[in-house]
Amino acid sequence: MKTLSCRGCGHELHDTFVDLGASPLSNAYIAPERLDESERHFPLHAFVCSHCYLVQLGVFESREAIFSDYAYFSSYSESWLEHARRYVDDSARRLQLGAESLVVELASNDGYLLQYFVERGVPVLGVEPAANVAEIGRGRGVRTETAFFGIDTARRLVAEHGRADLMVANNVIAHVPDIHDFLGGAAIMLAEHGEMSIEFPHLLRLIEETQFDTIYHEHFSYISLLALEPILGLHGLSVVDIEQLPTHGGSLRVWAAHRGRGANANVERIRELERSAGLHDLATYRRFTQEVVRVKREFLSFLLTCQSRGETVVGYGAPAKGNTLLNYCGVRGDALAYTVDRSPHKQGRYLPGCRIPIYEPQKIFETRPHYVVILPWNLRAEVMEQMGAIRNWGGRFVTAIPSLRIHE
């Protein structure tokens, strides 16, 4: 096997975090006319660096192949839009942003967040590599550059637009194969007294809640404060504040600034939280596999029991995390008849690997299944509210992570 080097510190990677076998790209949804074609599968083997404790995958496909035409649109989740609205209100107050400011979002998607700064009259610039997604943002009045962000892009954008008072990096740092190029570019583009917020699913919560389905090829890294702080320091950035968030099963919002500013008490609190949880001990990472196997057994046992009883099980959502779960567990259409999704960009296609069809949500009310497995479990409350009418015929919701649970 080829030796991999840590993208954080350069040390060789030898320690397995979890090996989920081989899987197709998680957002490579299949059009009906391509069902007779084979799919490329890549190892989904996550390692932990014994030196800096960054959890990561090897790079098997280029960022251009993964992100240049993208099927994920942030605006289809009402709870995520509300999260964005609150962020805009809070950060505008925090940094006193106004008509003379500049807010830059890296991986701005379809303008889901920057549109709210536009409403406030704050100048914005989105940087989004997926041309199809960026175009939606422009339609919302969000000035958007179609580009991958790094040092070269940052230098060009500074020359054209100036430096940013606020840089936003929501759920993008894990998607970056070259984390040093990305953060090096951020350091160039951030104004002297500006701040950068970096939001990401917290590795600690991934471990504690057995959220292995968030491991897929688009996510090159799985991040803790322990791993992130030294990398920021190499680019002259330091952590000044941290917020804990419920999004994506438990996230951190790290506020960083140019070196020289002190950190508040929240930073040391999260450092101690990670120390107490054992993130400085390789044994913590090595135990993860046995929990993943437990989840797999529980989920398959549930599906097999339903089959034996003649009970129909379908899915809600076609998220990347769902594709990891289904492919790792070997679930196909005989066990999960179909799934549904609100996004028209996914409807009429098939999930990669397992090739389960994706329909509009109305399909559930037409077929009246016994169980609906919520694949985007982080949106469980939103989904159960929107689809609550399944209880009219005795239908029930199910989540598989962190443990199999049938919701009343």
Side-chain angles (χ1 to χ4, degrees):
M1 183 175 68
K2 179 182 176 182
T3 300
L4 300 175
S5 296
C6 174
R7 63 175 47 88
C9 68
H11 279 65
E12 287 189 359
L13 298 174
H14 300 288
D15 293 278
T16 291
F17 179 56
V18 67
D19 187 350
L20 300 175
S23 183
L25 297 180
S26 59
N27 274 309
Y29 299 93
I30 304 169
E33 64 272 16
R34 298 187 62 187
L35 282 173
D36 291 335
E37 300 177 14
S38 61
E39 298 172 79
R40 294 183 66 192
H41 286 61
F42 304 91
L44 200 54
H45 187 169
F47 294 86
V48 57
C49 177
S50 60
H51 182 74
C52 73
Y53 298 99
L54 181 66
V55 173
Q56 59 207 279
L57 298 176
V59 178
F60 298 100
E61 187 59 281
S62 70
R63 62 183 185 178
E64 288 78 11
I66 296 175
F67 297 113
S68 292
D69 186 76
Y70 203 39
Y72 177 74
F73 293 77
S74 297
S75 294
Y76 285 105
S77 168
E78 291 298 328
S79 61
W80 189 243
L81 288 175
E82 181 56 33
H83 176 74
R85 289 189 192 98
R86 288 195 303 269
Y87 172 85
V88 169
D89 290 343
D90 294 345
S91 60
R93 285 194 298 268
R94 177 188 180 103
L95 299 176
Q96 297 182 327
L97 301 172
E100 302 303 316
S101 307
L102 176 62
V103 176
V104 175
E105 184 177 14
L106 309 178
S108 55
N109 201 264
D110 58 7
Y112 75 102
L113 183 145
L114 291 181
Q115 63 182 332
Y116 301 121
F117 279 115
V118 172
E119 289 177 0
R120 299 174 72 104
V122 178
V124 303
L125 176 65
V127 184
E128 171 54 53
N132 64 317
V133 181
E135 192 58 35
I136 302 297
R138 293 188 191 100
R140 293 192 166 107
V142 175
R143 181 174 54 173
T144 307
E145 288 271 347
T146 303
F148 287 99
F149 187 78
I151 290 172
D152 290 342
T153 301
R155 287 172 176 156
R156 176 175 64 81
L157 294 179
V158 167
E160 295 174 1
H161 304 284
R163 289 185 163 81
D165 301 286
L166 170 63
M167 295 193 70
V168 185
N170 279 355
N171 299 300
V172 59
I173 195 167
H175 293 73
V176 176
D178 189 342
I179 197 169
H180 288 287
D181 183 49
F182 181 81
L183 291 176
I188 289 169
M189 190 147 201
L190 186 64
E192 180 182 359
H193 300 293
E195 292 189 15
M196 179 179 188
S197 70
I198 307 170
E199 199 168 307
F200 53 88
H202 192 188
L203 176 64
L204 175 58
R205 293 297 301 276
L206 185 154
I207 293 172
E208 290 180 339
E209 300 291 325
T210 322
Q211 298 168 0
F212 72 91
D213 59 340
T214 62
I215 297 173
Y216 43 90
H217 297 106
E218 292 174 13
H219 285 172
F220 298 106
S221 304
Y222 304 84
I223 301 168
S224 61
L225 180 63
L226 169 66
L228 181 61
E229 277 200 278
I231 300 173
L232 286 168
L234 290 173
H235 300 284
L237 299 170
S238 60
V239 177
V240 297
D241 191 9
I242 299 179
E243 300 172 62
Q244 288 180 285
L245 307 170
T247 53
H248 293 286
S251 296
L252 293 183
R253 178 183 291 151
V254 170
W255 291 90
H258 289 292
R259 185 180 289 124
R261 290 178 49 185
N264 67 19
N266 291 334
V267 180
E268 181 54 37
R269 181 172 57 82
I270 299 300
R271 289 176 185 145
E272 179 55 35
L273 183 67
E274 293 187 347
R275 280 193 292 266
S276 299
L279 292 195
H280 297 68
D281 184 353
L282 283 176
T284 300
Y285 301 87
R286 291 169 178 156
R287 288 193 293 267
F288 188 63
T289 292
Q290 65 192 40
E291 290 302 304
V292 172
V293 171
R294 173 189 58 78
V295 171
K296 178 178 182 177
R297 288 173 176 164
E298 289 177 352
F299 187 43
L300 289 177
S301 176
F302 163 74
L303 293 175
L304 290 170
T305 298
C306 289
Q307 278 188 316
S308 69
R309 295 173 176 170
E311 296 172 331
T312 306
V313 184
V314 304
Y316 183 96
K321 58 166 53 77
N323 294 329
T324 292
L325 172 69
L326 298 176
N327 282 303
Y328 170 65
C329 294
V331 175
R332 298 295 182 264
D334 58 337
L336 195 79
Y338 63 82
T339 192
V340 301
D341 199 278
R342 292 181 65 194
S343 172
H345 304 279
K346 296 179 182 180
Q347 294 164 6
R349 298 193 173 202
Y350 292 76
L351 299 180
C354 60
R355 302 196 169 200
I356 291 170
I358 308 167
Y359 297 104
E360 297 180 36
Q362 182 61 29
K363 180 77 170 180
I364 287 177
F365 299 102
E366 295 170 358
T367 61
R368 300 162 68 95
H370 295 85
Y371 296 99
V372 177
V373 178
I374 303 174
L375 296 173
W377 45 260
N378 53 301
L379 302 177
R380 175 173 60 87
E382 178 181 339
V383 172
M384 290 176 65
E385 180 179 358
Q386 291 173 353
M387 304 294 290
I390 73 167
R391 297 186 181 94
N392 293 343
W393 65 80
R396 302 168 79 183
F397 294 102
V398 179
T399 48
I401 290 174
S403 296
L404 199 286
R405 182 180 175 190
I406 299 173
H407 301 271
E408 298 299 332

